[in-house]
Amino acid sequence: MKGTIRKIQLIINSIALLRVAKEVAEMGGGMLAFARLSQLEDYHLVQIAKAVRECGLCDSKDEFVWILKHMLDERGWSCDRLPNIKRPSKLSEAFVDYENFLEWTLENTCRLAGGWRPEPEEARALYAALITLPWYSAYRVALYTALRIPREGRVLLAGAGLQEPLDYLTACKRAETEGWGNCNFAAMEVDPDVYQKLQELGVKHGFQTYFGWDSIKERFDAVVMQNILHWASNPADVFQQAKRVARKLYLIQGVLEGTSAGFLFTYAIGASKPVSYKTLMGLVKSIEWRPVKIYSKMPLFVGVFTA
């Protein structure tokens, strides 16, 4: 029953999300392609759980196992009670490369469940490979465009990394061409090594860069937080800082209730625990961000708030 309720919730929210980003749906092959992607995720989740069981680590206290067991429980499964899920025979070309990251997680499952993590350089390379996947970029461009973020005036991309500014540039240049937006934005990063490269991108493409929240002294019309909370040691501080520097918040965040095998990969390369929808909304309320519109709750939360 628990798994059935979850599937209904995810279907409802996926439809809402795809209405926001029709281009992603079209690029991926529509709802059928996304259903196959979901099946692929569940297939790998079961295989990872089997690997943990075979390694004798189902009772491990490592957070990798804790997250895995939470995902299983949410679906009504457990280490000792796993369904027989087949890998989809046909996968949209847009998602083929994504499976490599699920396979990497499966191949390293026993080590991950035992506490091993890749060295920082390998983790950075894996993360860079993930976020530069064509469908991932298309998803960000589609969301920025569908949410009409470039019309907001001056925008801050928080925890931007190196790919998000390039995707935002694609979206805002389209908005300029169509006459409804502009490319007046800045990007902030907290990782010193990433920031050094971000500075070079800023010079090349003409946008301002900041290192850390404390370096920001101006106030923006809007701040975009796109999947950064599960990388933050203190999500509450992130919300507070965002409120200090902007009057409007565009929040795009995968939540615990919708996590799948893909998050196990993200966690393995350095992310913190996933944030639950309940925790996310509690933080928003406690820091007094007022909702303007919530497009989707899970597996990807998409909402707009005002200070």
Side-chain angles (χ1 to χ4, degrees):
M1 177 63 72
K2 184 184 291 186
T4 301
I5 293 173
R6 176 185 178 277
K7 283 184 179 179
I8 293 171
Q9 290 175 328
L10 292 182
I11 288 170
I12 291 172
N13 281 283
S14 293
I15 291 171
L17 176 59
L18 291 176
R19 283 175 179 167
V20 174
K22 291 181 181 178
E23 292 178 33
V24 176
E26 292 169 0
M27 181 212 174
M31 285 298 291
L32 178 59
F34 276 86
R36 288 173 177 158
L37 176 63
S38 178
Q39 182 182 342
L40 182 75
E41 291 261 14
D42 281 347
Y43 164 78
H44 279 86
L45 185 63
V46 169
Q47 298 307 309
I48 290 168
K50 286 181 178 178
V52 169
R53 185 175 64 194
E54 290 168 5
C55 296
L57 292 171
C58 282
D59 295 323
S60 168
K61 301 302 181 184
D62 189 85
E63 284 190 336
F64 179 87
V65 178
W66 180 89
I67 296 170
L68 169 65
K69 290 168 76 172
H70 180 92
M71 294 178 185
L72 296 176
D73 182 67
E74 191 178 59
R75 292 161 171 78
W77 309 338
S78 70
C79 252
D80 299 320
R81 191 176 68 257
L82 295 168
N84 181 25
I85 296 179
K86 294 182 179 179
R87 182 190 178 281
S89 57
K90 186 177 181 181
L91 197 63
S92 169
E93 188 176 338
F95 302 130
V96 170
D97 289 341
Y98 175 64
E99 187 175 10
N100 293 333
F101 301 100
L102 302 179
E103 285 293 328
W104 180 92
T105 308
L106 178 57
E107 289 168 6
N108 290 284
T109 289
C110 288
R111 292 203 292 168
L112 291 166
W116 173 85
R117 298 295 182 269
E119 291 297 320
E121 284 189 12
E122 182 185 0
R124 285 181 194 278
L126 287 166
Y127 181 66
L130 173 67
I131 63 171
T132 54
L133 287 174
W135 72 266
Y136 205 168
S137 285
Y139 136 81
R140 284 188 293 264
V141 172
L143 277 175
Y144 301 150
T145 303
L147 295 171
R148 311 301 256 194
I149 298 176
R151 71 182 173 187
E152 288 294 346
R154 187 146 171 79
V155 173
L156 173 69
L157 306 178
L162 302 176
Q163 186 61 40
E164 185 176 358
L166 298 178
D167 295 334
Y168 190 82
L169 269 170
T170 300
C172 67
K173 285 181 178 179
R174 179 186 300 178
E176 286 182 334
T177 300
E178 295 174 356
W180 59 266
N182 65 79
C183 284
N184 185 6
F185 75 98
M188 182 276 287
E189 178 55 50
V190 297
D191 184 302
D193 294 326
V194 175
Y195 177 69
Q196 191 172 19
K197 295 177 182 177
L198 179 62
Q199 277 186 304
E200 296 171 5
L201 274 182
V203 171
K204 180 178 179 180
H205 295 284
F207 61 86
Q208 190 171 359
T209 59
Y210 292 95
F211 177 58
W213 291 103
D214 291 342
S215 68
I216 303 173
K217 306 304 179 184
E218 65 174 304
R219 190 158 172 82
F220 291 81
D221 295 300
V223 57
V224 178
M225 289 172 24
Q226 195 269 130
N227 275 326
I228 66 171
L229 294 177
H230 56 284
W231 294 97
S233 58
N234 186 353
D237 183 62
V238 174
F239 277 107
Q240 192 66 61
Q241 293 284 7
K243 189 176 181 184
R244 178 180 67 82
V245 302
R247 64 177 180 81
K248 184 180 281 188
L249 166 65
Y250 285 84
L251 180 60
I252 304 163
Q253 177 67 45
V255 294
L256 180 60
E257 292 82 355
T259 49
S260 58
F263 186 81
L264 288 172
F265 168 77
T266 308
Y267 176 76
I269 60 171
S272 301
K273 282 185 179 179
V275 179
S276 71
Y277 170 74
K278 182 178 180 181
T279 297
L280 186 150
M281 293 306 294
L283 288 170
V284 166
K285 185 176 181 180
S286 68
I287 298 171
E288 298 181 341
W289 278 106
R290 299 187 301 276
V292 175
K293 186 169 184 177
I294 294 175
Y295 293 91
S296 174
K297 295 179 181 178
M298 63 182 79
L300 185 70
F301 180 90
V302 180
V304 185
F305 300 84
T306 185

